[in-house]
Amino acid sequence: MMSRKRFADFVREKCEHEAVCRWLRENSCSDAFSQLEDMFNFLKKHINEEEKKDHSNSVDIIFDAHGSIRDSMIPASWLLPLSSITDVILYSPWNCVITADVAYGVATGRIRPQHRVFYCSQTKSCQTPGEEHRPTKLPDHWNSMKKAGDKMIPSITLSPLKPPEDGSWKRFEFLKKQYGQPGRNRIVIPFILPEESSSLESVPFFIVTLALSLVLLSSRFKATVHLTACLGGRSAGKTFDQEYLKQQYACTMDNTGMKCSPDMFQETSTICTILSQKT
């Protein structure tokens, strides 16, 4: 494990993104920099193990966590600070939560835009039923941060999964047993921390992608990163410019969730049946 000074020198040497470099200079002695160092060490353990497996040099990394959006905005390009990450893909519209079924579909690469189903996540208090939560203008593709470039997006904050009580992680594990594991070249990193770790209980996503891009530099991998986390926010519709977020990708009304249609699992079952017949 690198010393604090050696790690700081390493980060400054490798940083390519001007705005991120400025952030590093301004925060080199802050708690945020400590989070970067801790996240680097957390991710390095996972990537070191994955390098031993039969992946090619180009992989998809799925980072599975709890998440929310904040009222501060950052350029989308902050999520791609180094060339070791080729793109970062978000799946739900802004101000929307997702289910573990969506996370599983992303992890396996089986989810398609046509599988999206929107619903009211607060049925007791919400006045708008079911599918009326679906955005009126919903792109038929996912939200690529590479394509977004320097457009502003809400800052995403992530927090760890908490097994064994965590319902989302339980469901994800069940789906893996029921429908199969993610395949070759798909690396799932669940944000599950050791009990003694506390600095990463709430961490900005751009710190995660910066740490991951640094880890990947010393590996054989280049990666597309897929985030499986909720992008909802408490009263986010009252804080954000919804019209702007609709233009950037899509934005839902408050209390909206996104799940998968049964078609995704039916297609998955068909694939599993065909593969079992071949073996």
Side-chain angles (χ1 to χ4, degrees):
M1 188 178 296
M2 286 189 255
S3 67
R4 178 70 178 265
K5 182 181 183 304
R6 187 180 171 193
F7 178 73
D9 292 341
F10 169 71
V11 174
R12 281 192 290 268
E13 177 189 345
K14 299 299 182 182
C15 184
E16 299 170 358
H17 192 289
E18 182 179 345
V20 175
C21 289
R22 185 169 61 251
W23 179 89
L24 288 168
R25 288 193 297 271
E26 294 171 354
N27 291 275
S28 60
C29 297
S30 69
D31 290 341
F33 193 85
S34 295
Q35 285 189 319
L36 176 63
E37 186 176 12
D38 291 344
M39 182 59 70
F40 176 89
N41 292 325
F42 169 78
L43 293 169
K44 190 167 179 56
K45 291 177 183 177
H46 284 274
I47 297 302
N48 286 348
E49 287 302 312
E50 294 295 335
E51 280 203 284
K52 301 172 186 176
K53 300 178 183 178
D54 185 30
H55 298 303
S56 70
N57 292 342
S58 180
V59 296
D60 291 276
I61 294 178
I62 299 89
F63 194 78
D64 191 25
H66 293 299
S68 61
I69 55 176
R70 296 291 183 259
D71 55 5
S72 57
M73 305 284 280
I74 63 169
S77 60
W78 277 38
L79 299 179
L80 295 97
L82 297 171
S83 58
S84 52
I85 293 180
T86 55
D87 202 353
V88 173
I89 308 296
L90 309 180
Y91 285 83
S92 80
W94 300 110
N95 197 32
C96 183
V97 301
I98 62 170
T99 64
D101 297 37
V102 172
Y104 174 79
V106 173
T108 55
R110 293 167 182 164
I111 192 170
R112 298 290 180 267
Q114 62 266 28
H115 294 140
R116 293 174 292 195
V117 175
F118 293 88
Y119 66 98
C120 180
S121 61
Q122 297 289 337
T123 53
K124 292 182 179 179
S125 58
C126 185
Q127 302 298 313
T128 306
E131 187 66 7
E132 289 185 30
H133 280 258
R134 184 182 183 88
T136 53
K137 294 182 180 179
L138 187 64
D140 61 357
H141 56 83
W142 308 119
N143 195 0
S144 162
M145 297 296 96
K146 181 179 180 179
K147 290 181 180 178
D150 287 328
K151 290 182 179 177
M152 302 299 285
I153 61 167
S155 179
I156 301 167
T157 298
L158 302 179
S159 57
L161 304 168
K162 300 284 188 179
E165 298 83 6
D166 195 301
S168 296
W169 184 244
K170 279 183 181 179
R171 174 68 177 172
F172 187 88
E173 290 286 274
F174 167 79
L175 292 171
K176 285 197 299 182
K177 292 176 183 177
Q178 184 79 9
Y179 296 104
Q181 300 276 347
R184 180 174 178 261
N185 298 329
R186 301 192 72 82
I187 298 171
V188 178
I189 300 180
F191 190 18
I192 299 173
L193 297 174
E195 287 185 8
E196 65 274 11
S197 179
S198 60
S199 72
L200 298 176
E201 285 297 326
S202 178
V203 58
F205 183 41
F206 81 84
I207 286 181
V208 176
T209 58
L210 177 56
L212 181 56
S213 66
L214 290 165
V215 170
L216 293 173
L217 283 179
S218 58
S219 78
R220 61 186 175 89
F221 295 139
K222 281 199 171 185
T224 296
V225 176
H226 308 260
L227 178 64
T228 52
C230 295
L231 300 180
R234 187 171 296 176
S235 300
K238 299 175 184 176
T239 346
F240 290 94
D241 183 344
Q242 286 202 39
E243 292 306 313
Y244 172 78
L245 295 181
K246 288 175 184 177
Q247 292 174 15
Q248 192 283 312
Y249 181 70
C251 183
T252 65
M253 66 179 72
D254 288 351
N255 302 322
T256 296
M258 188 178 89
K259 59 185 179 180
C260 300
S261 68
D263 293 348
M264 188 190 84
F265 292 106
Q266 290 168 2
E267 292 164 12
T268 300
S269 296
T270 301
I271 292 169
C272 291
T273 301
I274 293 171
L275 290 175
S276 66
Q277 290 172 349
K278 288 183 178 181
T279 56

